[in-house]
Amino acid sequence: MKKITAIFLAMLVLFSFAACGGKNESGGNVSTTNKPSQTEATKPSAEKTTAEKNEDKKDFDYASIPNTMTSPDGKYELAFVTDLGQLLDKSFNQGTWEGLKRYAHEKGHSYKYYQPANGNRATDEDRFNAMKAAADAGAKVVVCAGYLQGEALRKAATEYPDVKFIFIDGSVIRETDSEDSAILENIAAIDFNEEQSGFLAGFAAVADGYTRLGFTGGGGGTNPSCNRFAYGYAQGAQAAAEKLGKEVEMKLSWEYGASFAPSAELQTLLSGWYADGTEIIFCCGGPMCQSAFAAASANDGAVIGVDVDQSGDSDTVITSAVKGLRESVILTLDKIEKGEWDTFSGKLTTLGAKDDAVGLPLNSWKMKNFTVEDYKKLYEKIKNGEITVDRDFTKLKAESFDKLKLVII
């Protein structure tokens, strides 16, 4: 794992966490002789942290790489199967996709994305059919986003043993549901310490002066990633409240987020929270964040974004709890190309603060009382183990916070 960490840190010097706010560009051939140039990093001093090195770089323009390309032979070497929602959701799908298309473009590989049929009502069969279409079109590697892909991946990995599958926000997949069955070695599962990112967001919000917080999450409470964000957020708010001697309250709800889609119902719920005194809401659910942005805008409220830096999507976003979606895809594809698939094959690799793979973006810092220097000190304590953030989100409902009044709706 030390070797993985070193590689991941090196990748993060090249690829910043900040989101691009991509545009839906259309087709055309991708030429390996006309690649977008990489921005040049200002040479950092030896004393700088990885976060500071990232701040020395300008954002990479992911929108400069077409989302659709035409392969001369009709084959596509690298493929992406989306989670629920749209490809360019300015969050989970988009962040994952940008890692794949950048790697493919710069290495001269053909690439294509596939969206399962029936949108937010997609079934396991719809997801399998998308994976099958990718494999039949020549994909050597298929990146699949979201925990809901599990059953479809089991079938696809079994039927296409020579195709490598990268399962983002996933888990180890076995041939059957039995724990005694063999692990499918052509699947690499990647997940993140979202609880650490959530902790940083919760701590920052309270330290900056917010005392009435909210959390709205996708997946109806069944999404492990969203649950880890929520539990970490509550732990961070409690830690800051305890340190500052404050009393803080937090409303938490999974209502209207089952499909991760924005809705009038969710916007109405959150508008009611703001009207009732909630000051800032952490919205964890990709496209459903649009409902939070609208509610906050109408009520002079604030929002914490998720997965990627969403500050460019709404002036209401004061920070985002991010994770290295792009970087994890790039890292894994690079290992495959170097013939080192065994690093991830049949395993779950969890990336967190130790890898600089979670955190808050520094490029778009809007907080006033909680400074970047305060954040860096806190981050280092998580990174070196001085602060441990509990990952077991099943404890959330039973947790007793002495400084945080948690109201689960």
Side-chain angles (χ1 to χ4, degrees):
M1 189 63 196
K2 289 182 179 179
K3 186 177 180 182
I4 296 173
T5 299
I7 295 171
F8 197 81
L9 290 173
M11 297 300 294
L12 284 179
V13 175
L14 294 175
F15 307 106
S16 127
F17 272 137
C20 72
K23 300 175 183 177
N24 190 1
E25 300 188 24
S26 59
N29 291 320
V30 173
S31 169
T32 58
T33 60
N34 187 29
K35 299 173 183 175
S37 61
Q38 283 185 260
T39 52
E40 292 293 330
T42 303
K43 187 175 181 180
S45 66
E47 293 76 21
K48 286 190 176 182
T49 66
T50 301
E52 289 174 309
K53 292 173 186 177
N54 290 339
E55 292 308 297
D56 287 335
K57 297 187 64 62
K58 295 180 180 179
D59 297 347
F60 180 81
D61 183 13
Y62 287 91
S64 67
I65 306 173
N67 292 308
T68 304
M69 66 165 291
T70 300
S71 172
D73 61 0
K75 300 291 185 181
Y76 297 89
E77 298 166 275
L78 304 179
F80 174 55
V81 177
T82 69
D83 193 14
L84 297 176
Q86 298 301 308
L87 175 73
L88 301 184
D89 61 359
K90 299 182 180 180
S91 189
F92 183 62
N93 278 331
Q94 185 168 331
T96 308
W97 169 239
E98 286 172 349
L100 184 147
K101 73 172 185 175
R102 178 173 181 175
Y103 185 86
H105 185 66
E106 294 185 346
K107 294 293 185 179
H109 298 305
S110 54
Y111 60 93
K112 187 173 182 178
Y113 71 88
Y114 298 81
Q115 292 187 271
N118 297 311
N120 289 332
R121 293 186 173 86
T123 64
D124 289 337
E125 192 64 21
D126 294 329
R127 298 181 184 95
F128 168 75
N129 287 337
M131 297 172 197
K132 181 178 186 300
D136 289 343
K140 299 174 182 176
V141 182
V142 180
V143 177
C144 302
Y147 77 114
L148 292 173
Q149 307 273 16
E151 282 305 313
L153 261 172
R154 191 198 310 276
K155 184 176 180 181
T158 301
E159 294 195 16
Y160 294 92
D162 295 329
V163 176
K164 295 177 174 62
F165 294 88
I166 301 174
F167 190 9
I168 301 296
D169 267 10
S171 57
V172 170
I173 303 294
R174 297 179 180 273
E175 292 178 352
T176 70
D177 286 332
S178 171
E179 288 297 319
D180 296 327
S181 64
I183 291 173
L184 291 167
E185 299 290 337
N186 58 333
I187 299 176
I190 308 289
D191 74 356
F192 300 86
N193 290 122
E194 291 95 351
E195 70 281 358
Q196 295 175 341
S197 203
F199 180 97
L200 291 162
F203 192 102
V206 173
D208 204 48
Y210 297 96
T211 59
R212 301 189 68 179
L213 285 59
F215 177 93
T216 177
T222 64
N223 184 312
S225 174
C226 290
N227 276 286
R228 287 192 291 268
F229 272 125
Y231 190 30
Y233 184 53
Q235 291 177 75
Q238 157 66 23
E242 185 174 17
K243 179 178 180 180
L244 300 172
K246 292 184 176 182
E247 297 291 333
V248 177
E249 68 175 56
M250 179 187 297
K251 293 179 179 177
L252 186 151
S253 177
W254 302 103
E255 279 193 280
Y256 309 121
S259 68
F260 296 89
S263 68
E265 293 82 3
L266 179 59
Q267 183 176 335
T268 298
L269 173 70
L270 302 185
S271 288
W273 286 9
Y274 283 123
D276 193 41
T278 297
E279 301 162 319
I280 185 168
I281 296 173
F282 180 12
C283 184
C284 181
M288 64 184 279
C289 290
Q290 298 302 318
S291 295
F293 300 157
S297 182
N299 293 275
D300 196 27
V303 174
I304 296 173
V306 73
D307 289 336
V308 298
D309 184 354
Q310 293 188 307
S311 61
D313 301 330
S314 172
D315 291 338
T316 65
V317 177
I318 66 154
T319 191
S320 301
V322 302
K323 57 188 186 183
L325 294 166
R326 302 182 186 101
E327 296 80 10
S328 65
V329 173
I330 292 166
L331 167 65
T332 313
L333 291 173
D334 186 61
K335 295 290 282 186
I336 292 172
E337 187 141 321
K338 291 176 178 177
E340 300 175 15
W341 170 248
D342 287 348
T343 303
F344 299 99
S345 171
K347 302 170 186 174
L348 171 63
T349 301
T350 299
L351 302 170
K354 65 186 184 303
D355 314 291
D356 282 351
V358 296
L360 307 182
L362 304 185
N363 288 338
S364 54
W365 199 263
K366 292 183 180 179
M367 285 169 279
K368 299 176 181 178
N369 299 317
F370 186 65
T371 68
V372 170
E373 287 305 314
D374 293 331
Y375 167 77
K376 290 176 182 176
K377 291 176 183 177
L378 180 65
Y379 192 93
E380 285 302 313
K381 288 181 179 180
I382 296 175
K383 187 173 180 177
N384 66 28
E386 186 176 341
I387 293 176
T388 301
V389 186
D390 196 342
R391 184 175 170 83
D392 184 4
F393 59 80
T394 62
K395 298 177 183 177
L396 178 59
K397 290 183 179 180
E399 186 74 71
S400 177
F401 299 103
D402 61 342
K403 292 293 185 180
L404 173 67
K405 179 183 177 182
L406 181 62
V407 180
I408 300 177
I409 300 172

